[in-house]
């Protein structure tokens, strides 16, 4: 996320009244800048704002704004290009990997790069890992490149994500990742394995899938359970959700990641 100078830059194209509405942040996925809440009051100036971003952030080639909230079967947003090249696909670089993605067709958060690296650093040599909800494969690919994991399994329900994930394995020359397309509830039954580590990066509803991993962890295995919570509810609410299904689980750590 870039939080510098947008207001300062905007003085060139906006008047004093308009400047008040400028939000000082946008996300960058690859070479695409994304405004998640472009102010209504500045709609008439959006092209000018987009141009300003292109001129001042040389790595940005496309500027988009979110025009529809997360919705539909795969809970995806809609974006409108306001400036730059006419494409929504990009290659995002992080943690020594390259990830091809179209943020309108696949969920992707550039803000979680540090979290992905944190997990990779916890992985011990020869671990067998399951990434439920693997998206465009960013967790499997980052872990593969930054650890000595033996094998990593990913499960994703959105066919577009799965397609990009397969491409991302090739792009990064990854050979120890196996990806499955389908609902984790069905697909997990096809993977006859126990894991050293299971990741559940579905913060909106991961608790609904906790019972699926019963009997799937090796002794001393670790689960990374992601959850949305108010700052004031951390760590209580996440621990409660886990303890409801696994009263004897040992909580190793609760950390804040994302926003
Ligand atoms: C929050 S995104 C995380 C994606 C990826 N791990 C990342 O960090 O970019 C959750 C993903 O889970 C997928 N998903 C949701 N429900 C699923 C299910 N029942 N089975 C498999 N995948 C599912 C969604 O399509 C989405 O790509």
């Amino acid at each position: 996320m870039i939080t510098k100078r947008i207001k300062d830059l905007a003085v060139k194209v906006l008047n004093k009244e308009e400047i008040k509405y400028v939000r000082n942040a946008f996300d960058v996925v690859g070479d695409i800048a994304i405004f998640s809440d472009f102010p209504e009051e500045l709609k008439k100036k959006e092209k000018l704002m987009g141009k300003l971003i292109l001129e001042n952030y040389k790595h940005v080639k496309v500027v988009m704004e979110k025009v529809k909230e997360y919705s539909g079967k795969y809970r995806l947003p809609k974006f409108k290009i306001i400036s730059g090249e006419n494409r929504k696909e990009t290659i995002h670089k992080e943690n020594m990997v390259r990830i091809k993605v179209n943020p309108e067709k696949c969920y992707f958060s550039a803000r979680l790069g540090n979290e992905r690296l944190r997990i990779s650093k916890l992985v011990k040599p020869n671990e067998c890992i399951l990434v439920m909800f693997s998206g465009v494969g960013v967790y499997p690919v980052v872990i593969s490149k930054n650890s000595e994991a033996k094998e990593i399994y990913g499960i994703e329900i959105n066919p577009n994500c799965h397609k990009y994930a397969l491409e991302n394995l090739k792009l990064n020359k990854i050979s120890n990742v196996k990806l499955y397309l389908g609902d984790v509830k069905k697909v997990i039954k096809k993977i006859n394995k126990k894991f050293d580590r299971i990741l559940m990066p579905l913060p909106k509803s991961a608790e609904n899938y906790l019972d699926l991993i019963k009997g799937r962890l090796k002794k001393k295995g670790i689960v990374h359970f992601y959850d949305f919570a108010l700052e004031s509810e951390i760590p209580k609410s996440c621990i409660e959700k886990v303890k409801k299904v696994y009263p004897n689980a040992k909580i190793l750590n609760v950390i804040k990641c994302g926003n």
Side-chain angles (χ1 to χ4, degrees):
M1 185 167 59
I2 294 177
T3 52
K4 61 172 181 176
R5 291 201 307 129
I6 307 175
K7 266 193 186 187
D8 298 340
L9 294 171
V11 291
K12 293 180 196 163
V13 293
L14 303 181
N15 63 36
K16 260 191 181 166
E17 186 57 28
E18 290 166 333
I19 288 283
K20 285 188 207 154
Y21 298 109
V22 174
R23 313 245 206 289
N24 240 343
F26 55 86
D27 284 297
V28 179
V29 176
D31 59 2
I32 303 182
I34 303 176
F35 284 97
S36 291
D37 54 354
F38 197 87
E40 268 309 307
E41 295 82 356
L42 300 180
K43 282 280 175 227
K44 284 187 183 148
K45 295 284 175 80
E46 64 184 14
K47 276 203 172 11
L48 278 176
M49 288 291 286
K51 221 171 136 237
L52 204 65
I53 302 294
L54 290 177
E55 282 166 7
N56 285 279
Y57 298 90
K58 290 297 169 203
H59 57 292
V60 172
K61 302 291 176 215
V62 183
V63 183
M64 312 199 291
E65 64 168 295
K66 185 158 80 187
V67 286
K68 194 171 170 203
E69 277 307 324
Y70 293 81
S71 62
K73 187 172 174 196
Y74 301 123
R75 301 214 45 79
L76 292 166
K78 282 252 176 281
F79 297 114
K80 181 177 105 177
I81 296 172
I82 56 176
S83 215
E85 296 173 19
N86 185 24
R87 62 173 162 86
K88 294 178 182 173
E89 188 177 88
T90 186
I91 293 187
H92 183 79
K93 291 182 192 145
E94 70 160 63
N95 299 317
M96 321 262 283
V97 308
R98 292 186 299 154
I99 299 293
K100 200 182 218 189
V101 63
N102 176 332
E104 196 174 62
K105 291 186 177 173
C106 309
Y107 172 89
F108 182 80
S109 170
R111 297 182 194 194
L112 293 174
N114 288 341
E115 171 61 7
R116 295 187 273 263
L117 187 62
R118 184 187 76 86
I119 301 282
S120 305
K121 287 186 172 160
L122 295 173
V123 172
K124 297 187 189 74
N126 281 319
E127 280 195 11
C128 180
I129 300 171
L130 172 64
V131 181
M132 300 162 98
F133 324 111
S134 46
V136 293
V138 61
Y139 268 104
V141 169
V142 169
I143 293 172
S144 175
K145 273 281 179 207
N146 293 280
S147 79
E148 290 176 55
K150 184 177 169 202
E151 47 190 2
I152 306 164
Y153 292 78
I155 306 174
E156 169 57 48
I157 201 167
N158 174 344
N160 282 318
C161 292
H162 182 67
K163 183 185 96 59
Y164 275 110
L166 292 173
E167 228 181 307
N168 287 328
L169 295 189
K170 282 193 194 149
L171 200 61
N172 293 282
K173 300 189 172 58
I174 302 282
S175 58
N176 63 342
V177 172
K178 200 157 186 253
L179 299 171
Y180 292 80
L181 171 64
D183 188 328
V184 83
K185 287 190 174 157
K186 290 184 186 153
V187 173
I188 198 167
K189 291 177 196 150
K190 295 185 197 162
I191 308 174
N192 193 14
K193 289 257 169 199
K194 284 198 174 192
F195 302 95
D196 298 287
R197 195 177 295 275
I198 298 178
L199 275 63
M200 304 183 73
L202 186 70
K204 199 172 167 282
S205 56
E207 69 265 30
N208 299 338
Y209 297 85
L210 273 169
D211 60 337
L212 270 190
I213 58 172
K214 261 185 192 145
R216 290 313 197 102
L217 268 188
K218 291 183 191 170
K219 209 171 169 208
K220 298 211 169 158
I222 292 174
V223 176
H224 297 271
F225 173 79
Y226 291 83
D227 188 28
F228 286 132
L230 294 173
E231 191 103 38
S232 57
E233 291 173 350
I234 301 174
K236 196 169 168 274
S237 82
C238 339
I239 294 178
E240 274 173 6
K241 284 177 186 169
V242 173
K243 288 281 185 183
K244 202 171 156 194
V245 186
Y246 299 104
N248 297 325
K250 184 173 171 193
I251 307 296
L252 296 175
N253 198 2
V254 180
I255 63 133
K256 191 186 154 197
C257 64
N259 242 11

